[in-house]
Amino acid sequence: MSVPDPAPVPRTRRPLPGHGHAAVPVLAAVALGGGLGSAARYAALRVWPVPAHAFPWTTFAVNVSGCALIGVLLVTLTEGRRPAHPLTRPFLGTGVLGGFTTFSTCAQETERLLSAGRPAPALAYAAATLAAALSAVWLAATATRRLSARPPGVIRR
Amino acid sequence: MNWLLVFTGGMVGAVARYLTDRAVGARRGTAFPWGMFTVNVTGCALAGVLTGAVVADAAPDGVRLFLGTGLCGALTTYSTFSWETLRLAESGARRLAAANALGGVAAGLAATYAGVALAGTVWG
């Protein structure tokens, strides 16, 4: 006489409504990329230090270049012909470029200029960063689309 | 040691941004990028508190590098913020794109000020 087995316990945990579990390799790629991007930003600030109440050119350049790079990267990954490795976007986009560019340092520097009684450079800095960042991502995305739209083998000089 | 503090702070910040963006994005389900808005404003508030603590001489260099340059620096982002603004504009949602760009910058600055003020009441 054998007792029937109880219903099998599901092996996988049920994901929260609306989103599944974040995969460990993805989290590791984001973490490693974020560390590297932040270290690169720190390196830029050490190589090109900016005096306390001067226009923060270094963070400006970091943010604008990072925005241009994400335009190239994400157009290539989302509109490209060849599928990329699934960890490319978490590592390079979310991690490296997300960690390299920063919103908080830009806001801190704007606040510092305002507190120092320099409203004109403060507002110029905030506005110029926004305008240059949006222009950079748009120009980079447009240029990448133009270049990748050429059929293969036509680029001959 | 400085590099390690920035690196580990950056790791924590980037993972927190990724997880927050997923959680907020899944719950809201609208075209407006609430996930990135949330992390940027939160990171600016934290960075504001830190700025106030530095002014009050309450935050040593190590804390500033780990929390400020590393964690807040990587928690917040300009690249994804710009990309999402571009995507909104390209999809025809120009008002949402403008609201994201201008609202994001204004809210980030307001959050920084709120953080500085909060630090002023704690360490002032």
Side-chain angles (χ1 to χ4, degrees), chain A residues 106-146:
Chain A
C106 179
Q108 275 177 313
E109 288 162 340
T110 307
E111 187 274 337
R112 195 163 61 209
L113 286 168
L114 283 170
S115 300
R118 305 197 65 208
L123 296 178
Y125 173 55
T129 300
L130 180 63
L134 294 178
S135 307
V137 74
W138 176 68
L139 284 171
T142 307
T144 308
R145 280 181 192 131
R146 290 252 170 96

Side-chain angles (χ1 to χ4, degrees), chain A residues 68-134:
Chain A
L69 289 172
I70 208 153
V72 175
L73 177 75
L74 293 186
V75 164
T76 308
L77 291 183
T78 58
E79 301 167 23
R81 279 185 289 265
R82 278 172 298 178
H85 191 279
L87 291 179
T88 310
R89 184 169 180 170
F91 177 67
L92 287 180
T94 313
V96 174
L97 293 176
F100 185 58
T101 62
T102 176
F103 207 81
S104 58
T105 308
C106 179
Q108 275 177 313
E109 288 162 340
T110 307
E111 187 274 337
R112 195 163 61 209
L113 286 168
L114 283 170
S115 300
R118 305 197 65 208
L123 296 178
Y125 173 55
T129 300
L130 180 63
L134 294 178

Side-chain angles (χ1 to χ4, degrees), chain A residues 19-22 26 30-31 35-36 38-39 41-42 67 70 74 94 97-99 101-104 107-108 114 130 138 145, chain B residues 2-3 6-7 10-11 14-15 17-18 22 26 40 47 51 69 72-74 76-79 82-83 86 90 104 112-113:
Chain A
H19 49 102
H21 289 292
V26 174
V30 169
L36 289 172
S38 301
R41 173 164 40 80
Y42 180 56
C67 287
I70 208 153
L74 293 186
T94 313
L97 293 176
T101 62
T102 176
F103 207 81
S104 58
Q108 275 177 313
L114 283 170
L130 180 63
W138 176 68
R145 280 181 192 131
Chain B
N2 288 356
W3 292 93
V6 171
F7 190 90
M11 290 175 88
V15 169
R17 168 163 42 81
Y18 173 73
R22 274 169 59 104
N40 275 348
T51 298
T69 312
C72 291
T76 63
T77 181
Y78 228 108
S79 48
S82 301
W83 171 257
L86 177 71
E90 284 179 343
T112 308
Y113 263 94

Side-chain angles (χ1 to χ4, degrees), chain B:
Chain B
M1 188 60 192
N2 288 356
W3 292 93
L4 194 64
L5 288 168
V6 171
F7 190 90
T8 48
M11 290 175 88
V12 175
V15 169
R17 168 163 42 81
Y18 173 73
L19 292 176
T20 307
D21 188 40
R22 274 169 59 104
V24 174
R27 239 148 254 190
R28 288 270 173 177
T30 59
F32 191 82
W34 283 111
M36 227 30 80
F37 189 89
T38 307
V39 290
N40 275 348
V41 170
T42 310
C44 283
L46 277 175
V49 172
L50 191 65
T51 298
V54 169
V55 169
D57 241 355
D61 269 2
V63 173
R64 193 177 53 76
L65 288 171
F66 177 79
L67 281 183
T69 312
L71 203 152
C72 291
L75 176 66
T76 63
T77 181
Y78 228 108
S79 48
T80 307
F81 166 73
S82 301
W83 171 257
E84 288 177 340
T85 306
L86 177 71
R87 291 298 295 257
L88 282 174
E90 284 179 343
S91 72
R94 302 213 163 183
R95 283 193 189 174
L96 277 183
N100 186 47
L102 298 173
V105 171
L109 201 54
T112 308
Y113 263 94
V116 172
L118 179 67
T121 61
V122 175
W123 290 289

